[in-house]
Structures are given as C-alpha cells and as structure tokens.
C-alpha cells in the first residue's frame, strides 16, 4: 500500500536537498523552510547545547524526548479538525443504517448539510459524533476505514489530501531532531487509532510514539480469533492536563523539547519547561491568513490565549507562521 | 547514581563473552545460558526467518515488536510478587503516621508480622495495600522511594537484591532480539511507575517501552511548579485481557514475539499468535525447585493452567527452566 502514497517525508528531503544545492552558504541547512530569524536560531542553538559532548548542558540520547501536538502544530486544523471531518463523512456513510437519525440531532442537521447548526452544541456534540463513528467495530476494521478515507478525502477549501496539509517546516524540524538523536513523539488530543494510520508515513513517527485520546476496548474472540472491539466509551482525553499525564503514562520521562499551538497544549508546555536542565518550548502562532489561516485568542478551534501570554512571560519561542516560515505546505511555495 | 549499581546487562555481556571464549564451537552463541534444546532452536530459527532479507517471512525492522511479561518471566515472583514486598515494606515505614492501622485489617495483621493472615483476602487486599502505598505523593517522590528501596531491599529467602533475581537467559534473549532489530517491551501487571525505575538499567528496556498497570494522576501546580500527583484510584490493569488492550493503546502494533509465564499472559499470547505472518509465542514454565521455584496449575502466584494447555494445543514454545536453562540468575551458576 505504501507505494501508492506520495511519501511526504521523501518530498521534504528532496526539497531540502534542492534548496541546499541552489542556495550558496546553506549547504548544511537542516531547516531550509525556516526564515533566518529568532525561532530557527533558538532551535538550532538548543540542539547544539544538548548534543555537544563538551556542553555543560549535554543530554544523553536516551533522554532527548521531544513531544509535538498534532492539530495546528504538525498539520492544519481549519475550518474544522480533520478528524471531525472524518467523523462527519462517516455519519453520511452510516446514515442508511440509521433511519432514526433523520429526526435526531445533531444528525438531522448534519444530513441536511447544516454543519453550523449540527455543531452548535460544541464539544459534547463533537464527542457524540466521534463516539458514534469511532466505535462498534474492531481496531482492525477502524484502521481500514481511516486508511481508505485519508487516501481519498479532500480538504474543503484547498482540495488537497489532508496529509498534504502538514507543515513543511515541522517535517524538517522532526527530521532534524531525529538526526540529532531525539525520539519524536506526538501528544495530541486526536484519537490515537486515527493518527497512527498515517503518523509513520507522513511524520516519520512510529505508532508506538503516538500519544492521543482513546476509547475503551474490549478483547473478544470471534470465529476463534481474538479481536479488540472499540467501545463507545471514553478511555482517555489527551488534552490540557491530560497531555502531561498521557506523556507520563506512555513515555515515563519528561520531554526536554515540546511544541504546541493552543491553550490545550499549555500544561504539556509547562511540564516540559519545569524540568531541570536545558529546555525548549515552542508555540506555533497562526498568523498567515494568506497561505493558511490567522487566528488565536478568539478562535473556537485552536484557541491560543493563556498559552500565548505564558509564552511571552516565560520567554518561550513563539513562531509566527507568516514571518518565520518561508513555506507552509510541502507541495506549494509560499 | 548508575555507577553505584552492579550493571546486570554488563554482567550478562561478560558472561556471554567468557562463555563464548571457553566453549569451542560456541564462539557466536548469543544465548549461552540456554541449553541446546528445542526452545533455543525455536527462538533462533524464528529470528532467522524474520530477519533474513531473502526470507519469505521477512519482517521489516519497524514491525519487530517483542513483548515480555515481567513477574515470573523476566524476574522471579516468589514467595510474593516483588512489588508487593515493596508495598509491605512501605506499610511498615508509613505505620507511625497511621495509628489507626493498629486496629484495621489488613494492616493490623501485617504489622504483627502475620503476612499470611494479612493477605488472606486475596486480590482485593493486595489492591488496597498497593493503593495506600503507591498514592498520595508526586510521581517524582514515588520514583525516589522506589529507587531507594530497590537499591537496598533484600529478597527474603535468597538475601539478594531483587534486581539480581532476574533471569540470565532472558537478559540474553532481550539483548539478542535487540541486536536483531527488535524493539523489546515489557507488558506487565506490575505498576508502570514501579518498573520504570529499573527497567532500563536492568533489562535495557527504556521507560517508554514499559507497559504496566497504573493509577490515575492529577496535574497540579505546587509552589509555582507543575507536578503529577498519584491518586488512590486505578487507571488501568495490565493483566489478562488488559495486556492486548494495553499493547494496542501504547504500542499500536501487534507483537510478532511474546513471552509470558502465567494465565495472566494468555490473552497477550493469543493476540500475538493470531497475527498474520511468522509468530513466536513462548511460555516460561517454573520447573526448577532446586535453583528457583517449581509451580504451575495450583499456584496462587503465577498460576499457569489454561495457558499451558493452550501452549500445548497450539504448539507454542514452553521453556522448562530446569531442562532448558543452564543458568537461572546472573550472579550464580546452576
């Protein structure tokens, strides 16, 4: 199956190679899509400090743990979280099996095409939609459904595959950290079973390094074969205080490097910053309305308010997508 | 701190080197403590089948996931689970702070030295003892307590450190698998915060590859610093059906190699065996009463009954400690 995909990690590598070749003086630039500004300098200075053997802040390879939020940090999250787009598409597919949805909200509004009306109830409605569409099948069946969707579904405004709406500078950053002995993890509010379908292919992050929200599972034997069945019940929400908790339970070490983009990442960033020794804490600020979206304090998705204040107060690295990134997505220039 | 320890992985390496040197014809033997019998042959044949590039059953490195139970599989578990010994020692340390325990079971019996009476209530009592001794502090404080205990506490019958009661053949097997591109994980009913204190030093398994039982955590800010507080409430029990579920949630891939020793491992073994392609499923059978303990179907600890029947029926590899291991513990010959 892998051969069918555009390998974005490879595209990123080619872009890096080409850029290195045509821009004199940047032959060794591991972050070609990053403008020569403070965030890039801070990242590279940090990596130098923790990897140079003679540095007073040297960190052994085993402790070089880096965690990244996904929605809004590694890929886009507008106009709705991509996993919610998946859930909405699933509602349409499943509707013939649920005639009762015609008279039941939020399904009725959704099936009439009234997305705004359907989602007016906010988080609980989203939770309900996710439960209905992410449970009642085996983990294997779900993986197949997500695989098919992610290979074909198109983003409503760009018309691109969702996996093409990942941030080129972050692909370079992930590769750069790994080349410097870091283990890169996702720590996302997204569903772990959803993200793992593409995390390795798209980000180079293997399934065992993906932390996310999850539903409860039951172990059953069907036709003599054991299966894991996804139940319509929450197991863990990997958001806000759930992020450091998820990181502790799954990794068992405190990251020395973390990147987020919203208030949902604040506790992960605080947890990372509070460790002893050198720390890097980064915040992606969505400022490029022309090539992506611009939003922060007032946004209903990826709200960045308290975390922006704390980033300023604590001297964390805030990345302006408009000013600090030369390219947003892998397949097009800025 | 590491310098204070006997590095068992290093001891294992030295034993391997010495054995290789003195035994002609075994210069390349990666499993010198394994008798030249069926289990050793099955392990090495399996590793060959999945790692040889031209093998029809070749498995890419990323998918070489191996999971090991801990109690009774990687280290001993008699006369009581070692983590329970830790909990009992903690009850004694904490008793002065809890005068009410003098009249409250199971504490009263325990403090009188009547272990059998204290534990007569079985699993619920053990759960209660673990909750009382594993909660109410930060994860950092707990780590320090376990570190101190594991560095000093002695096994009641052998007088050895608990970390010296690991199985030499399994240390060799872990190293052999890693040398062949496998990622080795623990999947144990033991507490994840407990096991991570020594998993890397003793087994070469880093914290992020330890799956275990866990309590709930709360994220709090104390004196301006974020901490994770261990709550007296179960989060996840990594035993029986919990093992494949924990493996799915934390690894997200099905192991191709798994080892257990009791009915608590059965579902993990079934889950491993049921995948497509080459599989190795192993069961440690405690048969060496002289050098360790001999127990199976009737044991209250590490009961091996259904899993032994299924191993026989399915042709899984059953390892007799008495017959198939030439050495049990790293620091003494058999």
């Amino acid at each position: 199956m892998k051969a069918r995909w555009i390998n974005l990690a490879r595209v990123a590598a080619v872009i890096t190679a080409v850029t290195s070749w045509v821009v004199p003086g940047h032959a060794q630039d591991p972050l070609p899509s990053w403008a020569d500004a403070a965030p890039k300098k801070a990242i590279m200075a940090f990596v130098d400090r923790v990897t140079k053997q003679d540095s007073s802040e040297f960190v052994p390879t085993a402790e070089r743990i880096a965690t990244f939020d996904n929605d809004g940090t590694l890929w886009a999250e507008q106009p709705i979280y991509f996993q919610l787009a998946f859930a909405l598409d699933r509602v349409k597919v499943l509707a013939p099996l649920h005639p009762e949805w015609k008279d039941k909200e939020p399904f009725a509004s959704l099936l009439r095409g009234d997305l705004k009306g359907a989602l007016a109830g906010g988080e609980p409605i989203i939770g309900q939609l996710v439960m209905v569409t992410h449970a009642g099948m085996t983990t294997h069946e779900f993986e197949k459904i997500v695989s098919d969707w992610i290979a074909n579904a198109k983003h409503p405004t760009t018309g691109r595959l969702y996996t093409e709406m990942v941030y080129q500078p972050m692909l370079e950053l992930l590769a750069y950290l790994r080349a410097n002995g870091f283990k890169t993890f996702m720590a996302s509010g997204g569903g772990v079973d959803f993200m793992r379908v593409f995390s390795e292919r798209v980000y180079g992050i293997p399934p065992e390094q993906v932390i996310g929200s999850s539903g409860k599972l039951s172990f059953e034997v069907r036709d003599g074969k054991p299966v894991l069945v996804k139940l319509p019940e929450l197991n863990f929400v990997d958001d806000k205080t759930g992020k450091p908790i998820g990181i502790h339970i799954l990794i068992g070490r405190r990251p020395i490097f973390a990147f987020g983009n919203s208030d949902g990442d604040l506790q992960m960033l605080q947890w990372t910053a509070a460790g002893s020794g050198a720390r890097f804490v980064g915040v992606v600020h969505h400022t490029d309305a022309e090539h992506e979206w611009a939003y922060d304090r007032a946004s209903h998705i990826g709200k960045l308010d308290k975390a922006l204040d704390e980033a300023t107060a604590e001297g964390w690295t805030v990345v302006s997508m408009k000013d600090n990134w030369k390219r947003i997505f892998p397949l097009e220039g800025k």
Side-chain angles (χ1 to χ4, degrees), chain A residues 69-86 88 115 119 126 149 153-167 203 261-263 284-304 321 328-329:
Chain A
D69 169 58
N70 185 37
D71 298 306
T73 300
L74 294 182
W75 72 357
E77 60 183 350
Q78 297 284 1
I80 56 171
Y81 292 125
F82 296 176
Q83 192 177 351
L84 180 57
F86 164 75
L88 300 182
L115 179 61
L119 301 182
I126 292 175
W149 182 84
K154 300 287 169 62
H155 187 276
T157 65
T158 68
R160 291 207 177 274
L161 291 176
Y162 287 101
T163 50
E164 291 168 348
M165 296 192 63
V166 296
Y167 300 134
Y203 301 131
N261 79 299
S262 79
D263 285 0
V284 173
H285 191 184
H286 291 263
T287 51
D288 192 340
E290 189 186 346
H291 302 95
E292 210 237 13
W293 289 268
Y295 57 97
D296 48 32
R297 297 185 193 274
S299 178
H300 65 294
I301 290 175
K303 179 177 174 175
L304 176 65
M321 291 175 76
I328 305 277
F329 299 116

Side-chain angles (χ1 to χ4, degrees), chain A residues 178 184-186 196 199-200 203-210:
Chain A
R178 287 193 292 261
T184 53
F185 288 82
M186 283 165 78
R196 278 171 172 161
S199 64
E200 188 155 36
Y203 301 131
I205 297 179
E208 61 270 26
Q209 287 162 221
V210 177

Side-chain angles (χ1 to χ4, degrees), chain A residues 239-244 263-272:
Chain A
D239 196 33
K240 301 188 176 72
T241 61
K243 290 213 178 192
D263 285 0
D265 302 312
L266 178 56
Q267 289 83 358
M268 170 175 79
L269 302 179
Q270 292 172 329
W271 178 243
T272 302

